[in-house]
């Protein structure tokens, strides 16, 4: 199972997801944007070329539910729940085909073959780092691909989600919804798995 810790800093909470080898920090920046920032524990990130991958299983109950909700909403082209919003986005069309033709979607579609591919809002799309979100054997897989060196200021796996002027606007709303959900979730509460329950039950039988 993944370990999830929350810590406070100047602009809110940092959600740290740890798989034992790498760590993913999800945080709200002072510039008003959201960031997914992978950290490696074993080797220098600048020397690594392969993607950094995090796998969220159903055993990671709260985390899985939050990312599964995000995944389902985006692959179905639902950037927000209209009945829960009092404001009109104006340019948004009810036809989901609209999003496939909007801005960056033309050359770099947000969803293709069931995979969400968000190119960081930090730089030009062709050079940007990429976050792929997919489902494999019912697991949620987060794959971070490092940005390309051409015209990039620095090498990074981090992903920026602009809340003003995002190329994938308005789907940044779903990632902010995810962050809010994670901030409100108590990850210290331990829900035992069926296997753990059966082990404890068998221990009781032995001692009797």
């Amino acid at each position: 199972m993944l370990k999830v810790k929350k810590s406070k800093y100047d602009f809110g909470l940092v959600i740290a997801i740890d798989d034992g080898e790498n760590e993913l920090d999800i945080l709200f920046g002072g510039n008003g944007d959201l960031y997914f920032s992978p950290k490696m524990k074993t080797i220098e990130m600048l020397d690594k070329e392969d993607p950094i991958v995090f796998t969220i299983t159903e055993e990671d109950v709260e985390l899985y539910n939050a990312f599964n909700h995000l995944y389902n909403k985006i692959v179905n082209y639902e950037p927000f729940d209209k009945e829960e919003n009092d404001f009109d986005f104006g340019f948004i069309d009810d036809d989901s085909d609209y999003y496939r033709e909007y801005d960056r979607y033309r050359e770099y579609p947000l969803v293709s073959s069931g995979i969400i591919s968000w190119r960081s809002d930090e730089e030009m799309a062709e050079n940007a780092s990429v976050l792929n979100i997919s489902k494999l054997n019912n697991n949620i897989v987060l794959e971070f691909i490092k940005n390309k060196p051409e015209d990039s200021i620095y090498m990074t796996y981090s992903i920026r989600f602009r809340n003003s002027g995002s190329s994938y606007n308005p789907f940044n709303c779903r990632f902010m919804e995810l962050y809010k959900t994670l901030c409100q979730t108590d990850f210290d509460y331990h829900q035992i798995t069926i296997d753990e329950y059966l082990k404890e039950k068998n221990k009781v039988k032995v001692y009797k």
Side-chain angles (χ1 to χ4, degrees), residues 18-200:
D18 191 332
D19 68 0
E21 294 183 3
N22 304 309
E23 181 180 298
L24 170 62
D25 288 348
I26 300 176
L27 64 150
F28 187 67
N31 56 6
D33 295 337
L34 184 69
Y35 290 85
F36 279 25
S37 299
K39 293 181 179 179
M40 301 180 66
K41 297 182 176 181
T42 54
I43 63 175
E44 288 292 330
M45 292 182 68
L46 292 180
D47 296 332
K48 182 177 175 63
E49 296 297 333
D50 296 334
I52 298 176
V53 178
F54 295 86
T55 301
I56 305 172
T57 71
E58 291 179 294
E59 288 189 349
D60 306 301
V61 182
E62 296 91 350
L63 196 62
Y64 181 89
N65 288 340
F67 272 92
N68 191 48
H69 176 78
L70 170 82
Y71 177 84
N72 289 333
K73 290 297 183 180
I74 293 181
V75 296
N76 288 306
Y77 287 90
E78 298 175 21
F80 51 84
D81 299 320
K82 292 184 180 180
E83 65 274 10
E84 296 178 5
N85 288 275
D86 296 327
F87 43 88
D88 183 7
F89 283 80
F91 64 86
I92 293 179
D93 194 308
D94 288 336
D95 187 351
S96 62
D97 286 339
Y98 172 85
Y99 300 113
R100 297 182 178 89
E101 300 300 325
Y102 179 67
D103 284 354
R104 196 177 285 198
Y105 299 75
R106 296 189 184 99
E107 191 172 357
Y108 302 102
L110 179 59
V111 180
S112 179
S113 301
I115 300 175
I116 300 168
S117 294
W118 186 287
R119 289 179 174 264
S120 178
D121 285 319
E122 188 67 43
E123 55 189 324
M124 298 296 291
E126 58 268 24
N127 296 328
S129 50
V130 182
L131 167 60
N132 291 324
I133 306 177
S134 59
K135 268 193 173 182
L136 180 63
N137 297 326
N138 215 37
N139 297 328
I140 303 291
V141 180
L142 310 180
E143 179 189 46
F144 292 84
I145 300 173
K146 189 165 68 173
N147 62 345
K148 296 180 181 180
E150 295 86 359
D151 299 324
S152 295
I153 299 175
Y154 57 89
M155 297 296 96
T156 183
Y157 284 89
S158 293
I159 304 296
R160 180 179 183 178
F161 303 86
R162 287 185 183 272
N163 284 311
S164 177
S166 173
S167 296
Y168 290 120
N169 178 59
F171 287 93
N172 53 293
C173 296
R174 285 298 181 191
F175 285 91
M176 284 302 300
E177 177 187 48
L178 170 75
Y179 175 68
K180 182 178 179 180
T181 297
L182 297 179
C183 286
Q184 295 174 343
T185 300
D186 181 8
F187 291 100
D188 292 328
Y189 177 74
H190 178 60
Q191 294 186 350
I192 67 171
T193 64
I194 294 177
D195 288 339
E196 290 173 320
Y197 170 77
L198 292 175
K199 286 180 182 178
E200 291 300 319

